[in-house]
Amino acid sequence: MDPAETPPPAIRICDVVKRYAGAKGVEGKLALKGVSFDVPQGGIFGLLGPNGAGKSTLINILAGLVTKTEGSAEIWGFDIDRNRRNAKRAIGIVPQEIVFDPFFTPYEVLENQAGFYGIPKNQRRSEELLAAVHLSDKRDAYARTLSGGMKRRLLIAKAMVHSPPILVLDEPTAGVDVELRRQLWELVGSLNAEGVTIVLTTHYLEEAEQLCDNIAIINHGELIANKPTRELVDMAREKIVEVTLDAPIDTAPQDAAFGKVELLDPRRVAITYDKDRITAGQVLNRLQEQGMRIEDVITREADLEDVFVSLTSAVTTGGDQAKETAR
Ligand code: ADP
Ligand code: MG
């Protein structure tokens, strides 16, 4: 093997299936249908998908909180079944739900966690971690008196107590206000700059687009995309031009070079086109050739949201759900 090749992945997921136990006589929910992907070292990796897609199930399998039905996974090269201890030491996980013992102080929460990992007193980083998450002044306050944002930051510090090379955050910004979201991203960015591989799940497209180097999209327990963010956005080659006409029309204009054409109202029409095939100017020319006079024009780039919608709708039209409910 050439040592200059890409380093081994931070996380490797192979054909992971999860079927939750169902009620008596009823087959349980198939939350993951055989998912495989690698998380490269060093970046910020986004696991994107709508609610119920299976993101937390996958994270909880890595955390050892949920047992997979089939498949295998490695964390930092350690198999999560055969080498549970080392796998666990290589990862810090911030769960989706905030749970704390309300009577511990932030300092105690971190010290207890360090004790749990068997870290000797002189090697603990509690003060340093509190400073990193801007909670030094809350060192001795009861956890129950902290705001939601402070609790989330404390959870991040807690996940970093054993200095893992990988930090996983499950929906860190769900239900979080704009200012706190900004603070969280700063914190995640600075940890990443120090070399920590970050994995985060989110159902916010914009967030994934702005933060992540690579994005995997999961929908109904299946991986439907896994690409560098730039490539994923490039898949959105379609553009949309919205035209206001000087007189009403009753049928949408037709042209072989147009994609979807939608009559928004009798004087407004939205035309989707592939920007590799035709330009906005040519679209307008074709309309004028058909005798239409144009009063106003807006063009819009397709963004990650458009890619997401086209990818997820392609998959949900399959018969999977029907099959499952028909049982
Ligand atoms: P996400 O985090 O992407 O929103 P989840 O992994 O939480 O999705 O859930 C995936 C699917 O598995 C959902 O249909 C959910 O209802 C189901 N599910 C999650 N946890 C359990 C559980 N403990 N028992 C049964 N079904 C579950
Ligand atoms: Mg979830």
Side-chain angles (χ1 to χ4, degrees):
M1 282 289 238
D2 180 0
E5 271 179 50
T6 40
I11 297 174
R12 169 157 282 174
I13 313 267
C14 284
D15 302 321
V16 169
V17 172
K18 174 61 189 180
R19 186 183 288 281
Y20 284 105
K24 212 175 171 193
V26 183
E27 195 152 53
K29 172 78 193 178
L30 187 58
L32 295 172
K33 300 176 182 170
V35 170
S36 304
F37 64 91
D38 284 352
V39 174
Q41 283 188 29
I44 302 185
F45 187 94
L47 184 59
L48 183 66
N51 279 324
K55 305 181 298 294
S56 294
T57 299
L58 196 54
I59 300 307
N60 291 336
I61 288 171
L62 294 175
L65 300 171
V66 166
T67 40
K68 57 189 161 46
T69 312
E70 279 171 43
S72 63
E74 283 176 14
I75 300 172
W76 218 245
F78 300 113
D79 185 280
I80 62 167
D81 299 320
R82 279 176 286 143
N83 216 331
R84 180 78 242 155
R85 238 179 111 80
N86 286 331
K88 228 177 166 145
R89 282 186 174 268
I91 199 165
I93 294 187
V94 182
Q96 189 170 348
E97 307 298 333
I98 296 180
V99 269
F100 278 122
D101 187 323
F103 296 104
F104 284 115
T105 67
Y107 181 76
E108 288 166 344
V109 167
L110 300 187
E111 285 292 305
N112 290 346
Q113 184 77 353
F116 175 77
Y117 277 102
I119 300 165
K121 282 240 189 281
N122 63 355
Q123 284 170 32
R124 293 187 186 175
R125 312 166 57 201
S126 301
E127 305 284 0
E128 174 200 333
L129 284 167
L130 285 175
V133 299
H134 308 293
L135 283 175
S136 296
D137 58 334
K138 296 287 175 187
R139 182 187 188 277
D140 301 316
Y142 282 135
R144 69 183 150 94
T145 67
L146 302 180
S147 70
M150 291 173 183
K151 284 179 184 156
R152 281 206 187 262
R153 298 204 307 263
L154 179 55
L155 277 179
I156 294 176
K158 187 180 169 197
M160 292 303 298
V161 154
H162 56 297
S163 310
I166 308 169
L167 177 67
V168 178
L169 303 114
D170 194 2
E171 302 265 1
T173 58
V176 152
D177 69 36
V178 179
E179 172 57 17
L180 177 56
R181 193 173 293 195
R182 199 187 52 75
Q183 284 179 21
L184 283 174
W185 294 142
E186 260 178 38
L187 182 56
V188 165
S190 63
L191 286 168
N192 182 243
E194 287 164 26
V196 179
T197 301
I198 308 281
V199 178
L200 60 95
T201 78
T202 181
H203 59 270
Y204 298 118
L205 291 156
E206 220 188 291
E207 187 162 276
E209 188 172 352
Q210 283 176 12
L211 268 140
C212 303
D213 319 298
N214 289 284
I215 296 177
I217 302 179
I218 169 172
N219 192 35
H220 293 297
E222 285 177 295
L223 190 78
I224 56 172
N226 177 21
K227 285 186 188 305
T229 307
R230 177 59 64 70
E231 276 179 40
L232 206 59
V233 175
D234 277 351
M235 283 171 70
R237 283 205 321 277
E238 302 209 307
K239 284 191 78 164
I240 297 141
V241 56
E242 234 181 79
V243 178
T244 307
L245 305 166
D246 76 336
I249 51 172
D250 31 75
T251 47
Q254 303 293 319
D255 192 294
F258 296 173
K260 198 173 91 177
V261 181
E262 204 180 349
L263 205 54
L264 303 170
D265 66 53
R267 283 186 51 210
R268 275 196 322 135
V269 59
I271 298 164
T272 304
Y273 63 96
D274 183 335
K275 68 185 177 201
D276 291 348
R277 286 184 64 197
I278 186 171
T279 66
Q282 288 167 327
V283 171
L284 300 180
N285 282 342
R286 305 265 169 114
L287 293 179
Q288 282 166 332
E289 281 161 23
Q290 293 183 30
M292 282 167 237
R293 287 223 300 271
I294 293 155
E295 218 161 63
D296 199 10
V297 176
I298 305 166
T299 62
R300 190 165 79 74
E301 289 277 346
D303 56 14
L304 189 55
E305 177 148 11
D306 298 294
V307 179
F308 185 78
V309 168
S310 67
L311 284 172
T312 52
S313 58
V315 171
T316 49
T317 50
D320 256 343
Q321 282 169 305
K323 259 184 283 167
E324 273 190 19
T325 46
R327 281 173 184 279

